[in-house]
């Protein structure tokens, strides 16, 4: 297997040195398993500082596991989860949400990754009709799979809608850090203060090795989640190593600096690549993803040297992602390779 430089995903970046150090520092002596350890106690405190005193955090192993466990905990199998047709839930979880929750996903069309209340309203005609699934949860991704962000006002509007219709609001926050950095607001402004009931919080794409969490912001629905997590096979015995990663990310604003850097690198890439004749930037670049279209031949040439995804082959659209580790030099080299591939 060749080792190609990657603009495929922030998942492909190495673990941040401070996170690795935190794991090593936690690797001393015995610690009680399954979360009864000092590292997890610290994680709980750090999450409460970010999300408010009512927040209850449950460290998890994967983002898919966090999404499925959270959704399964708040919805019955005859209920439905409304999400975007671009959602990770819908496309990249191998049917785990449907298998793990028993719920149908109702995926709404969107070009920018965001869904809006006026799209959800028509689905509610099914409420009370015993032959149809009952929409119960709205799941938003922040930042979205298209690299865009929901503004706090947009979130509050969806949350008011959810409350009016007795629905819960779930957020897939695999890249919540990037959204908060882009909006320059605290994490609470786009979660607890925006009426989100439960959140999957991602550490892995932000510099961790494997650290995801379910965070309940509505304490009424958190009850019993420890059992759901166990049944979801996401209760890890050596939890101290997961918690240590969060403790590193949530100390000294590491999460924020990592996300700001990743976002800045995407803006830099979009600026430089967008100036090349033959490259069109196809989405607003708000966080750390750049969507672009260029000729199929150029894509093919570039993919021999760089690892990245073709997003929509029919439109010759690709996705380039940056991470906390991307440098301006990486961008400059990549931009030269794009020019070469286009024979500019
Ligand atoms: C939006 C989103 N949600 C969730 C995930 C979690 O995925 P995983 O189960 O691979 O940790 C990802 C990973 O790419 C993602 O992009």
């Amino acid at each position: 297997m060749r080792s190609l430089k990657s603009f495929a995903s922030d998942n492909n970046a190495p673990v941040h040195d401070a996170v690795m150090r935190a794991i090593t520092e936690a690797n001393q002596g015995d610690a009680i398993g399954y979360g009864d350890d000092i590292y997890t106690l610290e994680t709980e405190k750090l999450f409460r500082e970010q999300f408010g005193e009512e927040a209850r955090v449950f460290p998890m192993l994967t983002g898919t596991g966090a999404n499925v466990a959270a959704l399964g905990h708040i919805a019955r199998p005859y209920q439905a989860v409304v999400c975007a047709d671009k959602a990770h839930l819908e496309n990249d979880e191998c049917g785990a949400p449907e298998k793990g929750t028993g719920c149908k996903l109702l995926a709404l069309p969107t070009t920018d990754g965001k869904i809006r209340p006026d799209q959800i309203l028509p689905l509610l005609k099914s409420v009370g009709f015993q032959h149809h699934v009952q929409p119960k949860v709205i799941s938003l991704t922040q930042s979205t799979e298209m690299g865009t962000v929901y503004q706090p006002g947009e979130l509050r509007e969806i949350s008011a809608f959810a409350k009016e219709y007795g629905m819960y609001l779930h957020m897939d926050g695999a890249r919540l850090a990037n959204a908060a950095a882009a909006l320059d607001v605290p994490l609470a402004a786009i979660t607890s203060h925006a009426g989100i009931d439960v959140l999957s919080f991602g550490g892995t794409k932000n510099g961790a090795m494997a650290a995801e969490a379910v965070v309940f912001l509505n304490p009424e629905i958190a009850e019993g989640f420890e059992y759901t997590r166990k049944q979801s096979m996401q209760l890890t015995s050596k939890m101290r190593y997961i918690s240590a990663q969060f403790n590193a990310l949530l100390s000294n604003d590491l999460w924020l600096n990592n996300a700001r850097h990743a976002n800045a690198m995407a803006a830099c890439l979009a600026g430089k690549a967008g100036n090349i004749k033959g490259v069109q930037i196809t989405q607003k670049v708000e966080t750390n993803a750049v969507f672009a279209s260029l000729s199929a031949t150029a894509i093919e040439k570039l993919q021999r040297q760089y690892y990245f995804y073709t997003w929509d082959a029919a439109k010759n659209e690709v996705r380039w992602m940056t991470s906390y580790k991307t440098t301006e030099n990486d961008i400059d080299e990549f931009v030269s390779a794009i020019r070469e591939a286009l024979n500019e």
Side-chain angles (χ1 to χ4, degrees):
M1 173 81 96
R2 283 178 309 154
S3 167
L4 297 179
K5 187 83 202 162
S6 177
F7 280 92
S9 173
D10 34 16
N11 272 330
N12 297 3
V15 176
H16 194 281
D17 289 341
V19 173
M20 211 45 131
R21 262 197 315 277
I23 294 173
T24 308
E25 279 161 22
N27 197 30
Q28 309 288 333
D30 290 345
I32 298 176
Y34 302 106
D36 283 327
D37 60 82
I38 52 167
Y39 305 95
T40 306
L41 211 62
E42 176 71 6
T43 303
E44 288 166 0
K45 183 182 120 239
L46 292 170
F47 270 82
R48 282 195 301 271
E49 280 172 19
Q50 294 291 340
F51 294 98
E53 275 309 304
E54 299 222 295
R56 287 195 61 196
V57 61
F58 296 85
M60 310 288 277
L61 296 171
T62 70
T64 301
N67 283 340
V68 173
L71 293 169
H73 190 70
I74 59 176
R76 309 277 303 268
Y78 60 82
Q79 295 176 323
V81 176
V82 180
C83 62
D85 62 355
K86 304 283 187 293
H88 196 266
L89 277 185
E90 166 75 357
N91 298 300
D92 292 305
E93 300 191 353
C94 191
E98 292 92 332
K99 179 173 187 273
T101 67
C103 296
K104 189 175 171 72
L105 296 183
L106 299 175
L108 295 169
T110 161
T111 49
D112 62 2
K114 300 200 250 179
I115 53 175
R116 288 144 180 109
D118 60 356
Q119 291 177 283
I120 305 170
L121 190 60
L123 300 174
L124 303 186
K125 279 199 213 106
S126 315
V127 172
F129 186 53
Q130 66 177 339
H131 302 281
H132 288 185
V133 287
Q134 302 293 295
K136 184 66 188 175
V137 184
I138 301 169
S139 178
L140 310 175
T141 310
Q142 177 79 317
S143 54
T144 74
E145 288 77 2
M146 305 310 292
T148 54
V149 293
Y150 287 92
Q151 297 292 325
E154 290 177 307
L155 295 172
R156 285 194 297 271
E157 193 192 338
I158 300 179
S159 154
F161 176 90
K163 289 209 169 43
E164 185 177 348
Y165 291 97
M167 299 178 81
Y168 293 129
L169 199 50
H170 167 259
M171 180 173 274
D172 178 347
R175 297 190 181 85
L176 188 71
N178 300 86
L183 293 162
D184 198 19
V185 296
L187 290 167
I190 47 174
T191 53
S192 341
H193 300 165
I196 306 300
D197 291 297
V198 60
L199 159 80
S200 300
F201 180 77
T204 312
K205 292 163 176 50
N206 187 238
M209 179 189 285
E212 306 290 316
V214 169
V215 190
F216 282 92
L217 304 169
N218 172 353
E220 282 168 27
I221 55 172
E223 204 190 317
F225 187 73
E226 53 273 44
Y227 310 110
T228 300
R229 176 173 61 178
K230 179 71 184 184
Q231 286 198 326
S232 306
M233 296 163 279
Q234 290 276 322
L235 176 63
T236 181
S237 56
K238 295 207 173 178
M239 199 183 290
R240 64 168 135 163
Y241 299 103
I242 308 295
S243 303
Q245 296 174 63
F246 280 127
N247 298 349
L249 287 179
L250 295 176
S251 299
N252 307 317
D253 283 343
L254 182 60
W255 68 272
L256 181 59
N257 294 330
N258 284 354
R260 275 188 182 145
H261 179 82
N263 292 355
M265 289 298 102
C268 173
L269 173 57
K272 292 184 176 178
N275 274 335
I276 303 175
K277 202 164 144 268
V279 176
Q280 283 85 40
I281 305 297
T282 53
Q283 284 286 339
K284 251 198 213 171
V285 179
E286 294 186 309
T287 55
N288 64 327
V290 178
F291 288 81
S293 70
L294 61 168
S295 75
T297 345
I299 295 174
E300 203 251 322
K301 274 192 208 160
L302 273 173
Q303 283 177 333
R304 281 187 230 139
Q305 308 164 62
Y306 284 90
Y307 184 47
F308 60 85
Y309 293 113
T310 299
W311 188 259
D312 184 341
K315 293 187 189 154
N316 291 333
E317 187 179 31
V318 296
R319 184 187 78 170
W320 297 323
M321 290 206 83
T322 53
S323 77
Y324 81 89
K325 193 73 177 173
T326 309
T327 63
E328 258 194 87
N329 191 45
D330 294 335
I331 306 275
D332 288 341
E333 285 178 6
F334 187 44
V335 168
S336 300
I338 300 172
R339 284 190 195 283
E340 237 171 75
L342 285 161
N343 294 320
E344 223 198 23

